[in-house]
Amino acid sequence: MNLMTIIMKMAEGLEKTCAIFFLTLLFAIPLGMIVALLNGSKIKIVSWFAKVYISVLRGTPLMLQLIAVTYGPYYLFGVSVSRNKLIPVVIAFAINYAAYFAEIYRSGIESMPVGQYEAAQVLGYSKAQTFFKIILPQVIRRILPSITNEIVTLVKDTSMAFTVSYQEMFTIGKQIANSQTSFVPFIVAGVFYYVFNVLVGFVMGRVEKKMSYYKL
Amino acid sequence: MSILRMSNIQKSFGSNHVLKDISYNVDKGEVVSIIGPSGSGKSTLLRCSTFLETIDSGTITYDDKNAAEMKNGKCVYAKNLNDFRHIFGLVFQNFNLFPHYTVLKNMMDAPVSVMKRNKDEVREECLELLRKMGLEDKADSYPCELSGGQQQRVSIVRALAMNPEILFFDEPTSALDPELTGEVLKVIKQLAEEKMTMVIVTHEMSFARAVSDRVIFMDGGVIVEQGDPEEVFGNTQSERMKQFLQNYNNV
């Protein structure tokens, strides 16, 4: 198998890699916000629930979570493993990344000076208005570098889907490497991920620049 | 007529008894300065007046309506506190402008999104206020592009944009260097001439003396002395006040 064929075959898996990547972000970003808000709740049981959630999902391997979400239903309830593994894979990634995002949001929210809340309160803003109009835009600006970090990690983590044999780019590469006893697919994978992350870095850099029209 | 009446206010932070049975009124058109050493409770009194701190006991009345009152020995706040918040404005020591909004948006956002007023009407009013303050060319600037004095003037006009009946100032010049203090004090003086009702917590003694109708001297959580500024500054009866003013005269 020549290099070109290897690249073409692996590129076929890129679509699935991208599906994991974008769908995870789509679900984990808002889910993380919900967890962060629950974590900050004054109701003990609610914040306790969020803390356990974060603790468990950050404290156990993503690989284990992927296996648990994909095959767990079969072992627990005898439900057959769904053909389309994209669903369990995205669920596992989203709940895992939401835990990390939740902690990033918390750090951002807690770094806000209390004066911003007080100014909003005196001007009569409701709690929701204060959060969405005054606090959140500034929090996003503050946490963007940490978010970029997570996104870069996510790009590489998509390769973890090979543990449940989801046919994304790395899984295909690994199969080729095994059948051809070749190291080339791994180099190709490395280049793919690197280029992907250069793109991520470029886009996030643009976003950061766009948001830095004011100083904090 | 009193716009604000506070009676028998008690406030503690843990075991620290900050306000000990304080009562004071502010009449329409009156300028009241609150002076006193650090830790005397003057800022806490202002924060209680603006609901940023909740009082432990006492009553707070705005326009003859109770915002906080005693019921069965407990202090109860009114349900519609936001209606009361429209009566007053507060200018902070650290400005607390919203950094992600332009000057104009800082002013316009609350009247439009909180009071649901007509946007174009509010814009006209805000631009007029900026013109009055000589800040019209700053309407589209962000707070970070302004000097400290300009930021504080913007935070004053932001409060004025809500058309408050009474304006509170919490050490409005303490975060500014002396050169910038003047421009802020000038604005407050101008408002005093227009008969804006104001309560000013300040360390600027000569300013307090010149601008106020009444001066309140606080120490240790109580009002030690209050009255006409000439009386209080020129002919005080209280030993504590004499001692306090000494510190200013000595420099």
Side-chain angles (χ1 to χ4, degrees):
Chain A
M1 209 184 265
N2 67 23
L3 180 63
M4 209 51 215
T5 338
I6 293 176
I7 293 174
M8 289 315 287
K9 282 218 156 193
M10 287 174 70
E12 280 168 28
L14 263 183
E15 193 187 319
K16 287 183 167 134
T17 301
C18 290
I20 302 174
F21 175 78
F22 286 112
L23 288 174
T24 299
L25 287 183
L26 182 69
F27 293 116
I29 286 175
L31 181 61
M33 183 53 77
I34 294 168
V35 175
L37 292 176
L38 294 181
N39 194 4
S41 165
K42 285 197 182 83
I43 306 161
K44 274 264 165 61
I45 181 91
V46 173
S47 77
W48 179 84
F49 173 80
K51 284 189 174 72
V52 170
Y53 176 93
I54 292 166
S55 170
V56 170
L57 283 143
R58 283 200 315 176
T60 56
L62 173 57
M63 204 181 277
L64 197 65
Q65 293 162 20
L66 272 165
I67 294 168
V69 175
T70 311
Y71 300 115
Y74 171 75
Y75 288 111
L76 288 174
F77 314 110
V79 187
S80 58
V81 178
S82 73
R83 271 288 175 71
N84 187 359
K85 286 203 183 120
L86 179 63
I87 295 166
V89 166
V90 167
I91 291 176
F93 270 95
I95 59 174
N96 177 278
Y97 270 77
Y100 288 92
F101 282 135
E103 284 298 89
I104 294 174
Y105 295 145
R106 184 175 67 90
S107 73
I109 291 169
E110 286 179 357
S111 73
M112 285 296 295
V114 67
Q116 292 289 305
Y117 290 94
E118 291 184 343
Q121 188 186 324
V122 169
L123 288 167
Y125 286 92
S126 69
K127 283 225 164 95
Q129 282 176 324
T130 304
F131 183 74
F132 287 109
K133 300 188 73 126
I134 309 299
I135 304 300
L136 190 59
Q138 298 183 56
V139 165
I140 292 173
R141 161 83 194 276
R142 279 164 197 253
I143 63 176
L144 219 50
S146 316
I147 294 286
T148 304
N149 247 344
E150 283 307 308
I151 295 178
V152 165
T153 308
L154 174 61
V155 169
K156 296 173 286 177
D157 274 358
T158 55
S159 63
M160 214 91 85
F162 89 87
T163 42
V164 293
S165 317
Y166 182 63
Q167 295 287 316
E168 46 72 54
M169 187 262 291
F170 191 74
T171 311
I172 295 172
K174 212 167 146 26
Q175 284 159 357
I176 299 173
N178 285 345
S179 64
Q180 307 281 319
T181 37
S182 159
F183 192 70
V184 177
F186 293 124
I187 296 169
V188 173
V191 173
F192 269 133
Y193 288 122
Y194 182 69
V195 171
F196 200 147
N197 268 334
V198 168
L199 279 172
V200 166
F202 176 75
V203 170
M204 292 309 282
R206 288 288 289 267
V207 175
E208 264 183 56
K209 203 161 174 202
K210 206 159 179 205
M211 294 196 76
S212 53
Y213 60 89
Y214 65 93
K215 259 191 242 134
L216 287 165
Chain B
M1 190 194 100
S2 288
I3 292 182
L4 167 66
R5 221 175 291 143
M6 292 181 79
S7 328
N8 309 102
I9 305 296
Q10 303 270 0
K11 173 71 186 172
S12 297
F13 294 109
S15 60
N16 185 9
H17 200 175
V18 184
L19 298 179
K20 300 167 185 163
D21 201 38
I22 295 246
S23 302
Y24 85 113
N25 300 340
V26 182
D27 291 342
K28 195 166 169 48
E30 200 182 16
V31 178
V32 177
S33 291
I34 305 178
I35 58 170
S38 300
S40 58
K42 48 193 192 321
S43 278
T44 305
L45 181 61
L46 209 65
R47 291 173 61 82
C48 287
S49 309
T50 50
F51 314 147
L52 288 176
E53 302 288 352
T54 50
I55 56 173
D56 299 334
S57 76
T59 56
I60 304 174
T61 310
Y62 276 101
D63 288 342
D64 291 323
K65 286 188 277 290
N66 283 343
E69 59 187 325
M70 300 303 289
K71 274 184 189 157
N72 306 324
K74 266 174 74 183
C75 181
V76 185
Y77 274 85
K79 288 267 183 315
N80 57 338
L81 266 194
N82 255 355
D83 294 342
F84 286 94
R85 288 194 175 99
H86 298 162
I87 300 173
F88 58 77
L90 171 61
V91 174
F92 295 87
Q93 182 177 341
N94 301 317
F95 331 134
N96 291 337
L97 291 170
F98 303 132
H100 57 308
Y101 286 170
T102 61
V103 165
L104 190 59
K105 176 101 168 153
N106 259 284
M107 297 172 69
M108 283 179 61
D109 197 60
V112 171
S113 62
V114 175
M115 299 179 89
K116 312 281 179 219
R117 291 183 49 206
N118 178 283
K119 203 170 175 178
D120 297 322
E121 200 185 295
V122 172
R123 185 196 306 276
E124 274 316 303
E125 266 185 44
C126 289
L127 287 172
E128 182 53 41
L129 272 169
L130 285 173
R131 262 192 293 278
K132 211 177 104 187
M133 300 283 170
L135 289 164
E136 64 269 41
D137 55 327
K138 302 294 181 197
D140 297 320
S141 303
Y142 287 91
C144 62
E145 297 164 336
L146 307 179
S147 73
Q150 289 169 333
Q151 288 190 43
Q152 191 59 301
R153 279 152 64 203
V154 169
S155 86
I156 294 172
V157 287
R158 178 176 71 175
L160 289 173
M162 297 289 282
N163 291 320
E165 291 175 41
I166 176 170
L167 200 50
F168 295 95
F169 294 82
D170 189 6
E171 302 192 25
T173 58
S174 293
L176 303 173
D177 63 53
E179 221 168 318
L180 300 174
T181 301
E183 60 180 280
V184 172
L185 296 183
K186 216 174 92 190
V187 169
I188 302 175
K189 211 173 243 170
Q190 190 184 339
L191 291 172
E193 279 158 15
E194 293 165 16
K195 291 288 158 215
M196 181 79 208
T197 312
M198 294 186 284
V199 178
I200 309 162
V201 168
T202 185
H203 289 293
E204 300 283 336
M205 291 307 142
S206 48
F207 172 73
R209 187 172 183 163
V211 81
S212 346
D213 300 308
R214 182 152 55 96
V215 172
I216 295 177
F217 172 64
M218 281 182 73
D219 186 37
V222 295
I223 292 175
V224 177
E225 190 171 355
Q226 63 172 312
D228 182 81
E230 290 310 315
E231 275 297 305
V232 174
F233 283 107
N235 187 24
T236 180
Q237 304 304 313
S238 134
E239 274 308 310
R240 185 66 188 92
M241 176 77 185
K242 278 181 193 160
Q243 196 189 340
F244 175 69
L245 288 176
Q246 200 89 62
N247 295 324
Y248 283 88
N249 297 335
N250 281 349
V251 236

